[in-house]
Amino acid sequence: MSEPGVMPEDVLGGLLPPDRAAERHPVAVIECHEEIPCDTCRWVCPVGAVIKPSITTPPRVDWDRCTGCGTCLMSCPGLAIFMVRLRGEWADVYVPYEFSPLPRRGEVVAALDRMGEKIAEAEVVLSVRSRDGTGMVAVRVPREAAHVVRAVRAGGSR
Amino acid sequence: MARRIWDHPILDFERGEPLKLIFEGREITAYPGESVAAALVAEGVDILGWSKLRGRPRGFFCGIGKCSSCLMVVDGIPNTRTCVTPVSPGMRVSRQRGPPPIPDVVPEFDLEREEVDLAILGGGPAGLSAAIAAADLGASVLLVDENFRPGGQLIKQTHKFFGSRENYAGVRGIEIARRLLSEVGGLGARWVLRSSAVADYPTGSGHRIVVRRPGGATLVDARAVIVGTGASENMLAFPNNDLPGVYGAGGLQTLMNVFGVLPGERALVIGAGNVGLIVAYQLLQAGARVEAVVEIMPRIGGYFVHAAKIRRMGVPILLRHTISRVLGRERVEGAEVVAVDDSWRAVEGSERTFDVDMVVLAVGLTPSVRIPAQAGADMIYVPQLGGHVPVHTPRLLTTLDGMYVAGDSSGIEEATTAMLEGRIAGAAAASDLGYAPDRAERVISEAQRQLESFRSGPFSSRVLEGKEMVWEKAREVIG
Ligand SMILES: Cc1cc2nc3c(=O)[nH]c(=O)nc-3n(C[C@H](O)[C@H](O)[C@H](O)COP(=O)(O)OP(=O)(O)OC[C@H]3O[C@@H](n4cnc5c(N)ncnc54)[C@H](O)[C@@H]3O)c2cc1C
Ligand code: SF4
Ligand code: SF4
Ligand code: FES
């Protein structure tokens, strides 16, 4: 049986973007696979890159359309949307962040996997907070960790 | 004791000038807008009283006036529910031991009367939406809520809601409450707060409702009434489940998110439904550690996405485990967890002790239905809806003329569905009273369409099954 709250590998495979899309600019990675009644990601996307035929159909990303603007990442009530940008040996992973304080650009934080295990120390390359309080933090990690890192822990918090 | 939260990622606790309460002869700092119980807990007072017979310590539990764990003597009046009583300067508060003392003051008591088209009992998302719909169609509306802060459960929901664009998807519960309250205000609906509806008497042409409020009672003569009294939290049986430090999930949310009080450092959450998963996340946001979320079933009951956001912060979710006892004498000092086998029996030797000072119960809710039951509405037991609920039609009409029900008191569901049901009940009541029936019917069918689409996924199948049973019964009784 799979770990509760951790995306099973076989499902995850179908949710990840092709490398060529993530090499141009950040693209959204939506890790939301259940039929829950929500379609926030669909209507907030300014370019119609989230495909979601009904409110309970799990979303898919059209990676040719997605511009990597981050709107869906900061709006998703499930905090289930990330962005990934591949940069040669490195990858920038963008995660939603709702703890205090928000880590600043240049700060070194712990990059965590889907079970909260620390994968690497990573530098924050972008950090913003939206008006409703949800932040977006991007960290630079080794390329192999592009789809492993899904959270960050700042300072000594927790 | 530094239990007040000052730095929170989502909430700004704008506290006014501190004031002083007199707690058993000593001064205690409180802030305007706090409840007496929250202020005491913030200052480190975990024991709010002792049980009458066995003298066991009692603490904060539900935070919404439903469990009686917080009864204290306030300014001479015994049995005051301090979790729904706001602080005021110089207030004298003391704990009860044994039978409560006879009041040393004679309380004032005056009787007032109100007449209105529609009385709405409960100002949560269901009641507020009902008020907006009915007032917008032209009915006069009186909202009654026993809390001093209206908004029901919404005022502690710091997370963003799911749903569709028309129903506030992506908006935090606290912000939804703000918007609904301002809309209600704009439509001129009247409020009575700190006022409990205690009885409803159908009069033939309407309902006479007895409302208990500070300083007396109000008799409300209403042509119709909507019950939106919400739900109360379920308890779980295990040794020491009554110790201070064992909180209902909603109670803890009230402390943390309404009053900015974090009563401990390390928590164990029982139940991995959405409520348990969300409260675990909110504990992390408030700065606590969550040692584990414990779930007796072989799978989580809540949404994957809610589980994922605590898992990736390192919180373990223990399936097929349950709490076997709480350790401690005066308050929670730890908790023991055991694995269970296929027949739900504890697996011998599997006990694990967690060093925690908070145990949070998120094991379901039971509809609050005292008013319709007392008034004589037909009730039906529906496990899928959390217990006994009034029999009602898809327009939320009960078997009593002019009495409607909406939200959790019609069956445990969620805030989005509570808002949609409230809208339907409000419009139906207005329409049945003769206010703009054509427009009302359009409001009803649109809300019913949205409700149907919201309930179309697999997570709603149990609720829908329950609702079908209720509607079927209503067809038999009402036709
Ligand atoms: C911990 C927790 C987390 C939740 N998280 C979510 C979530 O993330 N998303 C979601 O959609 N739903 C969530 N819910 C469920 C949601 O909050 C409820 O379904 C919703 O609030 C129900 O609305 P309501 O108006 O029926 O009741 P409530 O919001 O409970 O409001 C009832 C109101 O009635 C008042 N009242 C009760 N009895 C009386 C009386 N006799 N006289 C006068 N007033 C009275 C109360 O003071 C209260 O204000 C959560 C619930 C809990 C407990
Ligand atoms: S990142 Fe922007 S463009 Fe891409 S899917 Fe999200 S909202 Fe749409
Ligand atoms: S907004 Fe988030 S939770 Fe809602 S459907 Fe999209 S990905 Fe899932
Ligand atoms: S009634 Fe006050 S804590 Fe439950």
Side-chain angles (χ1 to χ4, degrees), chain B residues 11-229:
Chain B
L11 298 166
D12 280 321
F13 295 106
E14 286 160 14
R15 299 186 168 97
E17 285 296 306
L19 52 90
K20 297 286 181 198
L21 304 180
I22 315 295
F23 170 64
E24 300 182 347
R26 87 182 142 104
E27 286 199 336
I28 288 244
T29 302
Y31 290 87
E34 286 181 342
S35 70
V36 173
L40 290 172
V41 172
E43 293 295 311
V45 180
D46 286 321
I47 302 177
L48 302 178
W50 288 270
S51 68
K52 238 186 324 197
L53 292 180
R54 306 234 270 139
R56 292 184 55 89
R58 289 279 178 265
F60 194 99
F61 182 77
C62 76
I64 51 170
K66 293 200 176 175
C67 77
S68 306
S69 194
C70 65
L71 301 184
M72 301 181 81
V73 185
V74 175
D75 286 337
I77 313 281
N79 287 343
T80 304
R81 287 179 295 175
T82 53
C83 70
V84 287
T85 304
V87 295
S88 61
M91 194 176 234
R92 288 171 303 127
V93 185
S94 61
R95 295 180 282 201
Q96 299 181 184
R97 246 183 222 277
I102 306 287
D104 56 9
V105 292
V106 180
E108 286 169 36
F109 191 92
D110 65 6
L111 191 64
E112 281 180 3
R113 284 171 187 276
E114 290 267 7
E115 271 181 38
V116 71
D117 286 332
L118 180 61
I120 299 181
L121 314 182
L128 291 172
S129 306
I132 292 165
D136 188 50
L137 292 164
S140 64
V141 171
L142 180 73
L143 271 155
V144 179
D145 199 295
E146 59 189 6
N147 211 312
F148 62 96
R149 294 205 183 190
Q153 301 289 325
L154 283 178
I155 62 172
K156 57 196 87 158
Q157 311 299 354
T158 51
H159 54 284
K160 297 178 189 175
F161 277 50
F162 297 107
S164 60
R165 188 173 200 170
E166 314 87 52
N167 291 300
Y168 304 105
V171 182
R172 298 186 195 283
I174 43 175
E175 173 61 23
I176 299 176
R178 246 193 302 271
R179 294 188 199 172
L180 293 177
L181 287 166
S182 95
E183 230 182 303
V184 166
L187 287 164
R190 280 174 305 146
W191 274 106
V192 282
L193 293 176
R194 292 187 70 187
S195 302
S196 300
V198 291
D200 175 293
Y201 301 100
T203 58
S205 59
H207 291 258
R208 171 164 290 180
I209 301 144
V210 184
V211 175
R212 182 82 177 81
R213 59 173 164 74
T218 306
L219 290 184
V220 180
D221 279 308
R223 295 170 65 202
V225 59
I226 296 179
V227 177
T229 47

Side-chain angles (χ1 to χ4, degrees), chain B residues 382-458:
Chain B
V382 186
Q384 294 93 328
L385 299 178
H388 284 94
V389 296
V391 171
H392 58 269
T393 67
R395 288 163 70 96
L396 287 315
L397 178 65
T398 68
T399 57
L400 292 178
D401 272 350
M403 180 181 275
Y404 306 76
V405 64
D408 279 355
S409 51
S410 81
I412 304 300
E413 208 170 346
E414 17 184 333
T416 305
T417 51
M419 288 187 276
L420 288 167
E421 283 195 344
R423 198 177 303 160
I424 294 168
S431 170
D432 296 349
L433 291 174
Y435 290 100
D438 291 347
R439 198 148 63 84
E441 294 312 315
R442 283 198 299 276
V443 172
I444 294 169
S445 52
E446 175 56 20
Q448 281 176 334
R449 186 193 62 75
Q450 291 178 21
L451 201 49
E452 202 172 305
S453 121
F454 192 88
R455 286 176 176 154
S456 65

Side-chain angles (χ1 to χ4, degrees), chain A residues 3 34 74 79 98 100, chain B residues 7 160 281 304 311-312:
Chain A
E3 239 324 279
E34 291 178 330
M74 289 204 275
L79 304 187
E98 286 190 336
S100 189
Chain B
D7 179 23
K160 297 178 189 175
Y281 181 70
F304 168 84
R311 272 312 271 123
R312 59 180 186 257

Side-chain angles (χ1 to χ4, degrees), chain A residues 24-153:
Chain A
R24 277 174 288 156
H25 53 69
V27 287
V29 181
I30 303 190
E31 301 193 4
C32 174
H33 65 302
E34 291 178 330
E35 296 168 56
I36 58 176
C38 177
D39 71 354
T40 310
C41 48
R42 184 187 58 79
W43 63 261
V44 298
C45 177
V47 297
V50 178
I51 308 156
K52 204 172 188 312
S54 86
I55 185 168
T56 49
T57 316
R60 314 278 311 180
V61 183
D62 180 343
W63 285 294
D64 292 325
R65 283 202 177 181
C66 172
T67 63
C69 70
T71 306
C72 59
L73 184 152
M74 289 204 275
S75 311
C76 166
L79 304 187
I81 307 184
F82 310 88
M83 291 198 301
V84 169
R85 160 96 205 254
L86 300 173
R87 298 174 170 272
E89 310 259 287
W90 299 91
D92 292 347
V93 179
Y94 297 67
V95 302
Y97 194 85
E98 286 190 336
F99 298 99
S100 189
L102 186 71
R104 279 198 293 264
R105 203 172 144 193
E107 200 174 318
V108 173
V109 296
L112 313 176
D113 70 6
R114 293 181 182 81
M115 288 183 274
E117 296 295 329
K118 182 166 154 186
I119 295 301
E121 302 259 304
E123 186 187 330
V124 172
V125 292
L126 174 141
S127 145
V128 289
R129 200 185 286 278
S130 70
R131 260 189 308 149
D132 73 13
T134 304
M136 173 164 73
V137 172
V139 287
R140 188 151 300 167
V141 299
R143 186 184 177 108
E144 316 79 84
H147 295 303
V148 176
V149 167
R150 283 299 178 266
V152 303
R153 179 178 302 146

